[in-house]
Amino acid sequence: MQLDVPAESSYEPFHLKERIGDMIRYGRPITMTFPRRNRDLADDLRATMTRMYHLAVEIEKKYYRKTTTQQLDIELEWLRHLVRLSADKDCCGVKFAPPLSLHQYEVWARYNDEIGRILGGYIKSLDR
């Protein structure tokens, strides 16, 4: 008895989930270093990334994916706003530096843009 297992070369991993995982591996350690006064922001960032990963797994496993992709798109937009807020100098007051450096913001924004491009292409393919 032989199992029908796809050949190693024909298997293509779900890239959206992989990129969200990469972003979590980058962003989670950064949020752990946020100052105590910004813990609520760090908690929101971690929770949003976790929800995005959960939705990516759900998209991978569901037959009807349209509403889940819309939910993921909303979470991605919320994450973009949180990351932008974390790097905003005016958010923390005059005396304190923002929790994210300019470099960290740029790297995280690139992750978000890449995830957004993948998700946008995926949503377009569902509309056909």
Side-chain angles (χ1 to χ4, degrees):
M1 182 168 116
Q2 186 163 350
L3 296 175
D4 292 332
V5 178
E8 212 44 54
S9 61
S10 69
Y11 175 74
E12 186 156 334
F14 194 59
H15 293 294
L16 182 62
K17 185 177 73 175
E18 282 185 356
R19 292 300 168 251
I20 292 171
D22 292 344
M23 179 198 48
I24 290 171
R25 280 188 286 283
Y26 176 76
R28 187 166 172 71
I30 292 172
T31 61
M32 301 305 269
T33 64
F34 274 29
R36 183 170 288 146
R37 65 184 168 278
N38 298 114
R39 279 294 169 205
D40 56 341
L41 188 57
D43 292 342
D44 285 346
L45 283 162
R46 284 191 298 272
T48 303
M49 290 188 295
T50 303
R51 277 194 304 275
M52 287 175 62
Y53 197 74
H54 174 84
L55 289 168
V57 169
E58 200 172 314
I59 289 169
E60 189 177 32
K61 296 296 180 185
K62 282 176 86 172
Y63 183 73
Y64 296 105
R65 298 178 171 118
K66 185 116 181 171
T67 57
T68 310
T69 55
Q70 290 169 343
Q71 290 172 342
L72 181 56
D73 195 31
I74 291 168
E75 289 294 326
L76 176 61
E77 190 62 28
W78 176 237
L79 182 67
R80 284 179 172 154
H81 285 283
L82 289 173
V83 169
R84 195 173 304 125
L85 188 64
S86 298
D88 187 9
K89 287 186 254 181
D90 297 330
C91 171
C92 301
V94 181
K95 291 202 287 188
F96 304 108
L100 280 183
S101 69
L102 183 60
H103 173 73
Q104 290 170 330
Y105 170 73
E106 289 172 351
V107 172
W108 207 331
R110 272 187 254 135
Y111 276 114
N112 291 339
D113 288 343
E114 184 179 4
I115 291 167
R117 282 193 301 275
I118 294 169
L119 182 59
Y122 192 71
I123 289 172
K124 274 187 185 176
S125 74
L126 292 176
D127 288 338
R128 292 180 189 166

